[in-house]
Amino acid sequence: METTGRLREGWPSLLLVWAMLLVASTAVLQADLVDGLYVLPIVATVAMVAGWLLAKSVFSDRTAHIFAIIYGIFFIFFFVGTTLPYEGPWRERVFDLIRRQADWMQKAVSGGISRDGIIFVIQTTTVFWLLGYLAAWYTFRRGRVWRVIIPAGVVLLSVVYYYNGPRPLLGYLALYTLLALLFVAVTHLTSEESHWRRDAVRYDRGIQFDFLRAGLVAALVALLLAWSLPGLKASTTISGAVTEAGGPWRAFQDTWTRLFSSLRSYGAGTSDPYQNTLVLGGPRNVGNALVMDVQVGQELPYGVYWQAIAYDTYDNGGWQAAENDEPEFIHYPDDGALNVPITLSRNVITQTVTNYLPNSSILYAAPEVLSTDRQMIVDAGYDPEGRALITSLRSRFILRQGDRYEVTSQVSLADGGSLRAASSDYPAWVTDRYLQVPDSITPETLALAEDLAGNQPTAYDKAIVIRNYLRSNINYNDQIAAAPPGVEPIHYTLFDIQEAYCTYYASAMAIMLRSQGVPARMVSGYALGEYDSASQSYRVRAVNAHTWVEVYFPEYGWIQFEPTQSLPVWERPSTTDPNLSSAVDSALAPDPASLLPPEDLTDFERADGLQEGLEAQGDAARRRAIGWRVAIGVLLLALAGGAIYVTTTYNRRVEADVDRSYLRLGDWARSLGIPWRTTQTPYEQADSLVAVVPEGQQPVRNLTRQYVLRQFSPARASDADFDPRQEWRVLRPLLLKKSVSNFLNRSRKKG
């Protein structure tokens, strides 16, 4: 039976379809999400060939689709079966794949978490079988161009958008777009050629090259224009609207993460303000950008900060997070609570965090975290009982603006009396790590610590007296210069300038406590923020970024202290208070109304230097992106230059030939809407063109005369001294001008 839309010359289209499928499948392979994806380009190729043969066959649509399904089942099981990590009969492999898929379906329905990577291989292979088959089908049977381009393009775009690894997948998207535009040009030309042949219209066979060339140039221009467009800036207003309206999409993302938890994740491309190092640097400035909203059951009546990362080693004017002996591990929500040390006087709170940072990975929460509804990467060491000593928690999959997560923490309610009575018998894992004092600490700093805390009876009293000294004697100033070369930063702030911001305050307190045998560490994150009673949430902005001190008490764990003068101090009651009442130390803290600092008050530090504002936190990522843009831009310019060179060379060859020059006159006439009938003589055809472009009369007649001489004169040759290129130099601008004029006139009529 005859099939509609079948292309008589399908090789260029076939090759372009194949190239698009290879680009899309190779991009997924390069993302390296899971092992076994190397079968995708093979499956896409086999599927395309099957679709091409079935589209060209005499089978009806239904019969062809049934065959495609049968072939697909066979090849999917065959290729995916080769990825299984064991040798065995094919019967066992097939049943194993079916069993795994059934288990995945059961977890999908019951809300479980799937950690079987082969499921993603099965389903992605199925997707690319469908993409390959349908691309060929809609090219050679139905002639639906966009049904060929869009499905594979959507798959590729989703992979490029959500991939945060080190490989430059954006180049695959650019190449796919270029191939797709060429495919549109080729299929349009093939369709037009079929009409021309049906109507017995003469045309230059070299027009195929012209179309490919023009399509390539147009595609490159379109890509360059798209590449040069500015990106959209992050907007908290838009982000908030997306958060409210994107519930179904968020639910889909959560479900995807749950059902494909075996996929690899990457930390590259994040814009986290905190990294594994923290330096004592120079002045800071920050905007008032929104960071997150933290929803809680009620306003917290005690000082709680949103923790990001803990630092344990001080050296050379900076802090370093623990380099744990054990590798990071992935914790899944259905694994239950984290196995952390058991501590007394803790109260469990649940927080729902809405993230507004672009491409963030840190899970901010009140200490100490027990569980979250996100798959998280846990950076931790272990105590002798095998309990996790957490340094930081990061989402396994990048958090984008508007993403939400729920986290449960147990915060300390220990009163002052209990902490004073706490034992000073510290475990070895505490003393080995949290009593480190580098040799660079000056004798003056050590002497001050001894004068302040040497006669204090307990670790709690030592912490209180050092904290109070810093708050009373060191003035807050976030514009201080960095310590001069050779000057120890803590000594610099305590004795030289007697000014500091949070990093200096906390560093001085931690080191002075350590010198007195009290285990202490630095923690960075965000202060509480501004509470909104209507939404029962804390709005946290960049100005709330903060660093503080935590002191270790046996049985009670890490307890927070606030030495920074610009923030309130939350005094713990001397005995347990059932109402969790808190009091502000009026002698040492400013008025509560001034607790939210101005826009240039507080900031956060990051690795290898000071964070210069939340707006600058993505500089490194942007530089990498700009680098790739420049590289791809140069490549596109090179391709455009090559296309222009090829076009120019081809034009010279055409215009140097009398016969092809005359045929090109016919192309121009048809593009201008001039009838160019085969029943006319060459001179009649030329006159019809001259009637519309009278300024080109002489070159048109010259080209026509030489064509007649070559076709009909006894010598079958044109004048020896005739150069068609001279005629085209005059004629080409006239024809271009007329084409533009016709286009503008048509546009006005439509308007």
Side-chain angles (χ1 to χ4, degrees):
M1 60 177 292
E2 183 181 359
T3 58
T4 60
R6 182 184 298 181
L7 304 179
R8 292 178 60 183
E9 288 89 20
W11 288 109
S13 298
L14 182 67
L15 293 175
L16 286 170
V17 170
W18 186 32
M20 288 189 290
L21 290 170
L22 287 180
V23 168
S25 58
T26 304
V28 179
L29 173 61
Q30 289 298 306
D32 196 24
L33 300 174
V34 71
D35 295 333
L37 293 179
Y38 62 85
V39 301
L40 294 184
I42 303 173
V43 170
T45 300
V46 174
M48 184 204 67
V49 172
W52 177 47
L53 294 175
L54 289 171
K56 291 288 189 178
S57 71
V58 296
F59 295 129
S60 66
D61 291 4
R62 178 180 297 180
T63 303
H65 294 335
I66 292 173
F67 275 115
I69 293 173
I70 295 172
Y71 296 156
I73 293 173
F74 172 79
F75 283 112
I76 290 169
F77 274 105
F78 174 75
F79 286 115
V80 176
T82 62
T83 68
L84 292 174
Y86 61 84
E87 296 293 335
W90 275 101
R91 182 173 178 274
E92 292 183 7
R93 296 190 187 194
V94 170
F95 280 111
D96 185 24
L97 294 177
I98 294 174
R99 178 187 57 78
R100 292 185 182 207
Q101 186 65 43
D103 289 343
W104 182 86
M105 291 294 295
Q106 189 273 330
K107 290 177 180 178
V109 174
S110 63
I113 294 178
S114 173
R115 305 179 191 182
D116 188 355
I118 203 68
I119 294 299
F120 186 78
V121 178
I122 294 173
Q123 298 190 7
T124 308
T125 303
T126 303
V127 168
F128 272 93
W129 176 268
L130 292 174
L131 290 176
Y133 169 72
L134 292 177
W137 179 265
Y138 283 118
T139 299
F140 299 107
R141 175 69 72 99
R142 290 300 176 197
R144 304 290 179 85
V145 175
W146 297 112
R147 294 189 185 184
V148 177
I149 295 173
I150 292 177
V154 169
V155 172
L156 176 58
L157 180 62
S158 63
V159 171
V160 171
Y161 180 76
Y162 285 102
Y163 175 73
N164 290 284
R167 295 175 178 173
L169 298 190
L170 197 59
Y172 289 94
L173 184 60
L175 180 58
Y176 184 89
T177 304
L178 182 67
L179 292 171
L181 292 173
L182 283 175
F183 178 72
V184 171
V186 168
T187 52
H188 175 72
L189 171 63
T190 306
S191 176
E192 289 298 309
E193 283 185 309
S194 66
H195 292 307
W196 294 338
R197 286 192 295 269
R198 182 189 62 197
D199 298 336
V201 175
R202 293 180 59 190
Y203 65 94
D204 183 7
R205 296 289 180 175
I207 199 173
Q208 292 182 349
F209 182 81
D210 290 343
F211 258 73
L212 284 174
R213 177 197 61 206
L216 178 62
V217 172
L220 290 172
V221 170
L223 282 177
L224 288 173
L225 289 175
W227 210 270
S228 63
L229 292 176
L232 292 175
K233 293 185 177 180
S235 167
T236 55
T237 302
I238 295 175
S239 181
V242 171
T243 300
E244 296 299 324
W249 175 243
R250 305 291 177 198
F252 170 78
Q253 288 180 305
D254 292 340
T255 302
W256 174 275
T257 302
R258 175 173 60 85
L259 295 179
F260 298 103
S261 62
S262 60
L263 301 185
R264 295 187 181 94
S265 58
Y266 298 90
T270 62
S271 55
D272 294 320
Y274 297 109
Q275 305 295 334
N276 288 336
T277 59
L278 183 71
V279 301
L280 281 69
R284 311 178 300 168
N285 293 286
V286 68
N288 199 35
L290 185 60
V291 174
M292 60 183 166
D293 286 335
V294 184
Q295 188 175 25
V296 292
Q298 60 183 4
E299 185 174 7
L300 302 177
Y302 42 84
V304 172
Y305 291 158
W306 315 116
Q307 181 172 324
I309 188 169
Y311 305 95
D312 64 350
T313 303
Y314 179 77
D315 195 20
N316 295 323
W319 289 87
Q320 180 71 39
E323 295 183 359
N324 298 304
D325 296 333
E326 299 294 329
E328 297 176 336
F329 67 92
I330 300 174
H331 183 272
Y332 298 89
D334 63 351
D335 289 341
L338 288 165
N339 182 23
V340 295
I342 300 173
T343 51
L344 302 178
S345 299
R346 296 268 170 174
N347 186 44
V348 176
I349 64 170
T350 299
Q351 311 122 80
T352 301
V353 181
T354 302
N355 171 68
Y356 296 111
L357 293 174
N359 299 334
S360 177
S361 68
I362 293 177
L363 295 173
Y364 298 96
E368 74 193 9
V369 173
L370 294 177
S371 63
T372 177
D373 61 354
R374 290 267 172 176
Q375 297 177 30
M376 56 182 172
I377 299 174
V378 181
D379 183 8
Y382 296 91
D383 66 10
E385 286 75 33
R387 296 187 176 93
L389 308 173
I390 296 173
T391 298
S392 65
L393 300 173
R394 299 179 185 272
S395 174
R396 188 180 176 207
F397 300 99
I398 296 302
L399 298 170
R400 302 189 185 274
Q401 288 181 323
D403 283 354
R404 289 180 177 175
Y405 60 91
E406 187 176 281
V407 60
T408 300
S409 307
Q410 52 177 5
V411 298
S412 175
L413 302 181
D415 58 80
S418 299
L419 296 177
R420 281 190 174 91
S423 169
S424 60
D425 184 15
Y426 301 111
W429 65 266
V430 173
T431 57
D432 291 344
R433 179 174 290 184
Y434 298 106
L435 290 180
Q436 174 260 350
V437 178
D439 295 337
S440 59
I441 299 301
T442 63
E444 292 85 353
T445 301
L446 299 177
L448 177 61
E450 177 64 25
D451 291 343
L452 292 172
N455 61 350
Q456 296 298 320
T458 68
Y460 182 76
D461 292 311
K462 293 177 187 290
I464 293 297
V465 72
I466 292 176
R467 181 203 69 183
N468 290 350
Y469 173 84
L470 294 172
R471 294 177 65 86
S472 299
N473 294 277
I474 307 299
N475 295 320
Y476 184 89
N477 182 5
D478 66 348
Q479 296 301 303
I480 62 173
V487 177
E488 207 288 316
I490 295 177
H491 177 98
Y492 170 71
T493 197
L494 288 175
F495 301 103
D496 294 349
I497 62 173
Q498 293 185 322
E499 293 180 326
Y501 50 81
C502 59
T503 308
Y504 285 88
Y505 280 109
S507 298
M509 181 174 177
I511 291 300
M512 286 197 288
L513 283 173
R514 288 184 175 191
S515 72
Q516 292 297 302
V518 178
R521 68 179 184 181
M522 292 272 287
V523 181
S524 288
Y526 290 90
L528 206 57
E530 183 179 7
Y531 184 72
D532 176 48
S533 57
S535 61
Q536 293 185 316
S537 65
Y538 288 91
R539 173 143 289 188
V540 182
R541 297 182 178 274
V543 294
N544 302 118
H546 190 46
T547 300
W548 61 95
V549 176
E550 287 186 344
V551 179
Y552 185 81
F553 294 87
E555 298 182 338
Y556 295 95
W558 292 103
I559 303 298
Q560 160 191 324
F561 287 83
E562 182 51 81
T564 301
Q565 187 187 75
S566 65
L567 292 179
V569 55
W570 299 85
E571 295 287 12
R572 294 177 181 272
S574 57
T575 59
T576 302
D577 184 353
N579 296 318
L580 300 176
S581 60
S582 60
V584 177
D585 187 348
S586 58
L588 300 177
D591 180 75
S594 66
L595 298 183
L596 283 178
E599 289 192 2
D600 61 346
L601 186 58
T602 56
D603 190 19
F604 40 81
E605 303 80 24
R606 66 180 300 169
D608 301 323
L610 223 47
Q611 174 66 19
E612 295 296 337
L614 186 63
E615 292 82 0
Q617 64 185 257
D619 281 352
R622 282 195 290 271
R623 283 193 294 271
R624 290 193 297 271
I626 290 172
W628 282 113
R629 286 191 176 192
V630 170
I632 295 176
V634 170
L635 175 61
L636 292 176
L637 286 174
L639 290 173
I644 293 172
Y645 172 78
V646 171
T647 300
T648 303
T649 303
Y650 177 76
N651 268 331
R652 287 174 179 172
R653 291 178 180 176
V654 171
E655 294 175 355
D657 182 86
V658 171
D659 291 343
R660 298 179 73 181
S661 289
Y662 181 77
L663 293 176
R664 177 159 287 188
L665 287 179
D667 295 337
W668 275 107
R670 282 186 287 272
S671 68
L672 294 173
I674 302 169
W676 195 267
R677 300 183 179 90
T678 56
T679 56
Q680 294 175 315
T681 66
Y683 286 113
E684 290 174 336
Q685 292 174 333
D687 288 341
S688 64
L689 180 59
V690 169
V692 177
V693 190
E695 305 91 336
Q697 176 178 348
Q698 192 61 45
V700 169
R701 290 189 178 278
N702 289 343
L703 289 170
T704 304
R705 178 176 178 278
Q706 298 300 320
Y707 172 75
V708 170
L709 288 175
R710 283 183 60 86
Q711 295 293 323
F712 306 110
S713 68
R716 298 277 181 170
S718 58
D719 294 339
D721 59 348
F722 180 74
D723 185 0
R725 290 174 295 185
Q726 297 295 334
E727 308 299 330
W728 279 109
R729 289 191 184 97
V730 177
L731 183 59
R732 190 187 309 108
L734 299 175
L735 295 172
L736 288 172
K737 179 181 177 181
K738 187 61 179 178
S739 296
V740 173
S741 176
N742 285 358
F743 174 78
L744 294 176
N745 290 335
R746 288 195 300 268
S747 300
R748 292 192 191 100
K749 291 179 180 179
K750 291 180 180 179

